[in-house]
PDB file of all heavy atoms in Angstrom:
ATOM      1  N   ILE A 177       2.223  46.235  -3.174  1.00  0.00           N
ATOM      2  CA  ILE A 177       3.500  46.978  -3.622  1.00  0.00           C
ATOM      3  C   ILE A 177       4.609  46.405  -2.798  1.00  0.00           C
ATOM      4  O   ILE A 177       4.558  46.391  -1.581  1.00  0.00           O
ATOM      5  CB  ILE A 177       3.337  48.557  -3.482  1.00  0.00           C
ATOM      6  CG1 ILE A 177       4.618  49.234  -3.901  1.00  0.00           C
ATOM      7  CG2 ILE A 177       2.879  48.947  -2.108  1.00  0.00           C
ATOM      8  CD1 ILE A 177       4.428  50.751  -4.118  1.00  0.00           C
ATOM      9  N   ASN A 178       5.847  46.098  -3.355  1.00  0.00           N
ATOM     10  CA  ASN A 178       6.918  45.672  -2.642  1.00  0.00           C
ATOM     11  C   ASN A 178       8.130  46.552  -3.167  1.00  0.00           C
ATOM     12  O   ASN A 178       8.053  47.129  -4.292  1.00  0.00           O
ATOM     13  CB  ASN A 178       7.353  44.141  -3.026  1.00  0.00           C
ATOM     14  CG  ASN A 178       6.289  43.250  -2.579  1.00  0.00           C
ATOM     15  OD1 ASN A 178       5.196  43.096  -3.230  1.00  0.00           O
ATOM     16  ND2 ASN A 178       6.465  42.643  -1.513  1.00  0.00           N
ATOM     17  N   ARG A 179       9.255  46.570  -2.393  1.00  0.00           N
ATOM     18  CA  ARG A 179      10.433  47.233  -2.795  1.00  0.00           C
ATOM     19  C   ARG A 179      11.518  46.013  -3.080  1.00  0.00           C
ATOM     20  O   ARG A 179      11.552  45.084  -2.249  1.00  0.00           O
ATOM     21  CB  ARG A 179      10.988  48.049  -1.722  1.00  0.00           C
ATOM     22  CG  ARG A 179      12.084  48.919  -2.322  1.00  0.00           C
ATOM     23  CD  ARG A 179      12.683  49.938  -1.230  1.00  0.00           C
ATOM     24  NE  ARG A 179      13.538  49.172  -0.318  1.00  0.00           N
ATOM     25  CZ  ARG A 179      14.445  49.768   0.375  1.00  0.00           C
ATOM     26  NH1 ARG A 179      14.728  51.124   0.348  1.00  0.00           N
ATOM     27  NH2 ARG A 179      15.267  48.947   1.181  1.00  0.00           N
ATOM     28  N   ARG A 180      12.123  46.145  -4.259  1.00  0.00           N
ATOM     29  CA  ARG A 180      13.088  45.115  -4.546  1.00  0.00           C
ATOM     30  C   ARG A 180      14.231  45.139  -3.414  1.00  0.00           C
ATOM     31  O   ARG A 180      14.647  46.332  -2.985  1.00  0.00           O
ATOM     32  CB  ARG A 180      13.762  45.506  -5.921  1.00  0.00           C
ATOM     33  CG  ARG A 180      14.929  44.602  -6.166  1.00  0.00           C
ATOM     34  CD  ARG A 180      14.706  43.562  -7.162  1.00  0.00           C
ATOM     35  NE  ARG A 180      14.208  44.050  -8.600  1.00  0.00           N
ATOM     36  CZ  ARG A 180      13.470  43.488  -9.319  1.00  0.00           C
ATOM     37  NH1 ARG A 180      13.034  42.102  -9.055  1.00  0.00           N
ATOM     38  NH2 ARG A 180      13.129  43.768 -10.564  1.00  0.00           N
ATOM     39  N   GLY A 181      14.529  43.985  -2.891  1.00  0.00           N
ATOM     40  CA  GLY A 181      15.472  43.907  -1.767  1.00  0.00           C
ATOM     41  C   GLY A 181      14.715  44.190  -0.368  1.00  0.00           C
ATOM     42  O   GLY A 181      15.466  44.032   0.686  1.00  0.00           O
ATOM     43  N   GLY A 182      13.478  44.350  -0.320  1.00  0.00           N
ATOM     44  CA  GLY A 182      12.692  44.437   0.918  1.00  0.00           C
ATOM     45  C   GLY A 182      12.819  45.789   1.553  1.00  0.00           C
ATOM     46  O   GLY A 182      13.326  46.703   0.922  1.00  0.00           O
ATOM     47  N   GLY A 183      12.405  45.942   2.836  1.00  0.00           N
ATOM     48  CA  GLY A 183      12.639  47.140   3.454  1.00  0.00           C
ATOM     49  C   GLY A 183      11.358  48.074   3.678  1.00  0.00           C
ATOM     50  O   GLY A 183      11.428  49.085   4.389  1.00  0.00           O
ATOM     51  N   LEU A 184      10.219  47.542   3.249  1.00  0.00           N
ATOM     52  CA  LEU A 184       9.033  48.356   3.468  1.00  0.00           C
ATOM     53  C   LEU A 184       8.518  47.619   4.807  1.00  0.00           C
ATOM     54  O   LEU A 184       8.016  46.494   4.779  1.00  0.00           O
ATOM     55  CB  LEU A 184       7.892  48.154   2.462  1.00  0.00           C
ATOM     56  CG  LEU A 184       8.387  48.764   1.026  1.00  0.00           C
ATOM     57  CD1 LEU A 184       7.139  48.686   0.139  1.00  0.00           C
ATOM     58  CD2 LEU A 184       8.856  50.210   1.149  1.00  0.00           C
ATOM     59  N   THR A 185       8.689  48.347   5.960  1.00  0.00           N
ATOM     60  CA  THR A 185       8.558  47.564   7.176  1.00  0.00           C
ATOM     61  C   THR A 185       7.476  47.953   8.102  1.00  0.00           C
ATOM     62  O   THR A 185       7.573  48.465   9.295  1.00  0.00           O
ATOM     63  CB  THR A 185       9.945  47.897   8.162  1.00  0.00           C
ATOM     64  OG1 THR A 185       9.933  49.329   8.210  1.00  0.00           O
ATOM     65  CG2 THR A 185      11.050  47.425   7.280  1.00  0.00           C
ATOM     66  N   ALA A 186       6.233  47.628   7.599  1.00  0.00           N
ATOM     67  CA  ALA A 186       5.126  47.890   8.537  1.00  0.00           C
ATOM     68  C   ALA A 186       5.085  46.764   9.634  1.00  0.00           C
ATOM     69  O   ALA A 186       5.416  45.637   9.419  1.00  0.00           O
ATOM     70  CB  ALA A 186       3.717  47.772   7.724  1.00  0.00           C
ATOM     71  N   PRO A 187       4.640  47.063  10.862  1.00  0.00           N
ATOM     72  CA  PRO A 187       4.437  46.051  11.866  1.00  0.00           C
ATOM     73  C   PRO A 187       3.655  44.885  11.432  1.00  0.00           C
ATOM     74  O   PRO A 187       2.687  45.021  10.834  1.00  0.00           O
ATOM     75  CB  PRO A 187       3.782  46.887  13.074  1.00  0.00           C
ATOM     76  CG  PRO A 187       3.980  48.185  12.734  1.00  0.00           C
ATOM     77  CD  PRO A 187       4.047  48.378  11.267  1.00  0.00           C
ATOM     78  N   ALA A 188       4.024  43.702  11.918  1.00  0.00           N
ATOM     79  CA  ALA A 188       3.444  42.408  11.383  1.00  0.00           C
ATOM     80  C   ALA A 188       2.035  42.230  11.717  1.00  0.00           C
ATOM     81  O   ALA A 188       1.276  41.591  10.968  1.00  0.00           O
ATOM     82  CB  ALA A 188       4.294  41.235  11.751  1.00  0.00           C
ATOM     83  N   LEU A 189       1.497  42.678  12.908  1.00  0.00           N
ATOM     84  CA  LEU A 189       0.225  42.386  13.331  1.00  0.00           C
ATOM     85  C   LEU A 189      -0.680  43.498  13.333  1.00  0.00           C
ATOM     86  O   LEU A 189      -0.514  44.514  14.122  1.00  0.00           O
ATOM     87  CB  LEU A 189       0.140  41.586  14.684  1.00  0.00           C
ATOM     88  CG  LEU A 189       0.902  40.247  14.528  1.00  0.00           C
ATOM     89  CD1 LEU A 189       1.543  39.819  15.799  1.00  0.00           C
ATOM     90  CD2 LEU A 189      -0.082  39.205  14.243  1.00  0.00           C
ATOM     91  N   THR A 190      -1.614  43.644  12.453  1.00  0.00           N
ATOM     92  CA  THR A 190      -2.673  44.754  12.316  1.00  0.00           C
ATOM     93  C   THR A 190      -3.724  44.453  13.268  1.00  0.00           C
ATOM     94  O   THR A 190      -3.957  43.426  13.802  1.00  0.00           O
ATOM     95  CB  THR A 190      -3.069  44.811  10.823  1.00  0.00           C
ATOM     96  OG1 THR A 190      -3.970  43.689  10.708  1.00  0.00           O
ATOM     97  CG2 THR A 190      -1.983  44.776   9.862  1.00  0.00           C
ATOM     98  N   PRO A 191      -4.530  45.548  13.477  1.00  0.00           N
ATOM     99  CA  PRO A 191      -5.840  45.451  14.277  1.00  0.00           C
ATOM    100  C   PRO A 191      -6.700  44.301  13.778  1.00  0.00           C
ATOM    101  O   PRO A 191      -7.238  43.416  14.559  1.00  0.00           O
ATOM    102  CB  PRO A 191      -6.507  46.805  14.161  1.00  0.00           C
ATOM    103  CG  PRO A 191      -5.417  47.760  13.935  1.00  0.00           C
ATOM    104  CD  PRO A 191      -4.343  46.997  13.057  1.00  0.00           C
ATOM    105  N   LYS A 192      -6.778  44.213  12.396  1.00  0.00           N
ATOM    106  CA  LYS A 192      -7.553  43.062  11.934  1.00  0.00           C
ATOM    107  C   LYS A 192      -7.028  41.757  12.181  1.00  0.00           C
ATOM    108  O   LYS A 192      -7.758  40.787  12.558  1.00  0.00           O
ATOM    109  CB  LYS A 192      -7.691  43.200  10.352  1.00  0.00           C
ATOM    110  CG  LYS A 192      -8.380  42.001   9.733  1.00  0.00           C
ATOM    111  CD  LYS A 192      -8.604  42.115   8.249  1.00  0.00           C
ATOM    112  CE  LYS A 192      -8.843  40.913   7.478  1.00  0.00           C
ATOM    113  NZ  LYS A 192      -9.857  39.979   8.065  1.00  0.00           N
ATOM    114  N   ASP A 193      -5.700  41.590  12.179  1.00  0.00           N
ATOM    115  CA  ASP A 193      -5.022  40.353  12.520  1.00  0.00           C
ATOM    116  C   ASP A 193      -5.372  39.982  13.994  1.00  0.00           C
ATOM    117  O   ASP A 193      -5.670  38.785  14.284  1.00  0.00           O
ATOM    118  CB  ASP A 193      -3.511  40.387  12.420  1.00  0.00           C
ATOM    119  CG  ASP A 193      -3.111  40.518  10.941  1.00  0.00           C
ATOM    120  OD1 ASP A 193      -3.925  40.150  10.064  1.00  0.00           O
ATOM    121  OD2 ASP A 193      -1.977  40.938  10.806  1.00  0.00           O
TER     122      ASP A 193
END
Side-chain angles (χ1 to χ4, degrees):
I177 179 167
N178 299 78
R179 193 179 77 154
R180 174 106 58 210
L184 302 186
T185 58
L189 291 148
T190 66
K192 172 172 164 45
D193 293 339

